[in-house]
Amino acid sequence: MDNRQAIGSWLSGPRAAAERMGADFGYRGERLGLPQDGPGSIAPLGRRFGAIFIDWGLCMLIAYGLLTGGDLGSAGNWALLVFAVLGVLTVGTVGSTPGKRLLGLRVVSARGGRLTLPRAVVRTALLVLAVPALVWDRDSRGLHDRLSGAVQVRI
């Protein structure tokens, strides 16, 4: 084996190496019974990141303008609280935050249907911690989604 091939396989990760050896992982969301493309399919990561940035910006504006009286230093702490409240209320009732709605995403139960309010609370609490959201499975679901039984899909 050429050294360049060894370095390339190391950089591409274990999934690419396993696929070259014949393993078939299927598409993202197949294990959950979701379609490969279109409405109801797994939400792409770019849109999910975009949605969380929109939501965070909105929460910062609310915290800066309404809660801190213009004190930028403490706006971040208040924004985290606003983010948690926003997440619980919007995901637990309509299934999407303002950022997710703008980008055509929705949070649903992995079993189908709407995510219940207690599950939305668990999901949001884990999302506020940030670390569970950075650990993904092969369906691109964060740990916060797995533990709350949720999945983010396209509308």
Side-chain angles (χ1 to χ4, degrees), residues 6-153:
I7 292 172
S9 68
W10 177 77
L11 290 174
S12 60
R15 180 180 177 132
E19 286 174 343
R20 275 195 303 276
M21 292 173 33
D24 181 24
F25 291 107
Y27 63 88
R28 296 182 196 281
E30 183 176 17
R31 295 182 310 152
L32 301 170
L34 300 174
Q36 186 172 2
D37 294 316
S41 64
I42 293 282
L45 292 176
R47 282 193 197 179
R48 290 167 49 188
F49 282 125
I52 202 163
F53 285 127
I54 291 170
D55 291 335
W56 183 253
L58 178 64
C59 292
M60 281 294 287
L61 283 173
I62 291 170
Y64 179 76
L66 299 177
L67 300 175
T68 65
D71 180 21
L72 190 58
S74 63
N77 294 331
W78 283 103
L80 194 59
L81 178 65
V82 172
F83 184 79
V85 171
L86 178 79
V88 168
L89 292 179
T90 58
V91 170
T93 56
V94 296
S96 60
T97 63
K100 288 187 190 331
R101 186 56 134 180
L102 282 172
L103 297 180
L105 305 178
R106 183 168 184 195
V107 179
V108 296
S109 173
R111 296 184 201 106
R114 192 175 64 92
L115 195 65
T116 63
L117 191 61
R119 289 186 181 271
V121 169
V122 169
R123 181 184 183 279
T124 302
L126 291 169
L127 185 59
V128 166
L129 293 175
V131 173
L134 299 174
V135 178
W136 299 330
D137 65 3
R138 72 181 190 190
D139 290 319
S140 296
R141 287 195 316 163
L143 190 57
H144 65 295
D145 283 333
R146 281 191 63 109
L147 293 177
S148 64
V151 62
Q152 294 184 52
V153 296

